[in-house]
Amino acid sequence: MTVLDILQYPDPRLFQIAKPVSQIDDRIRQLISDMAETMYGAPGIGLAATQVNVHEQVIVMDLLETRNALRVFINPELVWCSDKQKIYEEGCLSVPGIYEEVERSDRVRVRALNEKGERFEIEVDGLLSVCIQHEMDHLNGRVFVEYLSLLKRNRINKKLKKFRRMPH
């Protein structure tokens, strides 16, 4: 397994639209393994392939603190979103140290393939719903800060530039 480099906002590669995976083969299974290792090491709860500069529709996610419930979504599609909206505080591995409130659908139904190529459909709410929507945005070339006002985005850009200049 390999820990991959995570692209940092506002890297233009984060705004590329991911293509559907045409075949789930050893290359995709290795990508899933590397993405999981990267997400756990960051540490994070979700990672889209776009964030590691692979522009294919692959998402990994694990919301449990025990880190033993990896979920894989290949070629995910939202088939339904509730009209009811909910505000959650979101963060992102591509926007380190920034947490902001974003309004999203409270419940969603998503259809995808797992790492074995099996089609599944689930309806979820709460944090899992938010995480799915957040990661699917990445596949569509969108970062959560784009939901914020221009003033907040400019403030975030300044913070991130300052953060990058600091020695680590």
Side-chain angles (χ1 to χ4, degrees), residues 4 31-39 47-49 52 58-60:
L4 306 169
L31 173 64
I32 290 165
S33 176
D34 292 346
M35 286 174 61
E37 182 88 0
T38 302
M39 175 187 71
L47 188 68
V52 293
V58 178
I59 293 169
V60 297

Side-chain angles (χ1 to χ4, degrees), residues 66-140:
T66 52
R67 305 307 223 178
N68 62 352
L70 185 69
R71 294 174 181 258
V72 176
F73 298 84
I74 299 170
N75 299 340
E77 54 183 303
L78 285 177
V79 292
W80 174 80
C81 297
S82 69
D83 291 334
K84 183 180 174 201
Q85 302 282 295
K86 199 154 188 189
I87 295 174
Y88 282 89
E89 187 175 74
E90 294 186 28
C92 180
L93 296 175
S94 291
V95 192
I98 304 296
Y99 299 89
E100 290 289 341
E101 290 186 337
V102 177
E103 187 174 33
R104 295 191 185 269
S105 293
D106 185 42
R107 292 185 71 80
V108 297
R109 186 176 306 125
V110 64
R111 181 182 303 138
L113 300 172
N114 65 19
E115 63 277 13
K116 296 174 187 154
E118 300 162 339
R119 182 170 299 283
F120 68 95
E121 189 171 309
I122 55 171
E123 187 172 315
V124 297
D125 62 3
L127 183 58
L128 184 53
S129 170
V130 170
C131 199
I132 287 170
Q133 292 173 80
H134 176 110
E135 300 306 335
M136 286 184 70
D137 274 352
H138 280 299
L139 299 181
N140 290 312

Side-chain angles (χ1 to χ4, degrees), residues 8-23:
Q8 302 292 300
Y9 178 83
D11 189 308
R13 295 171 292 182
L14 286 169
F15 304 103
Q16 289 184 32
I17 295 175
K19 292 180 173 36
V21 172
S22 56
Q23 184 179 3

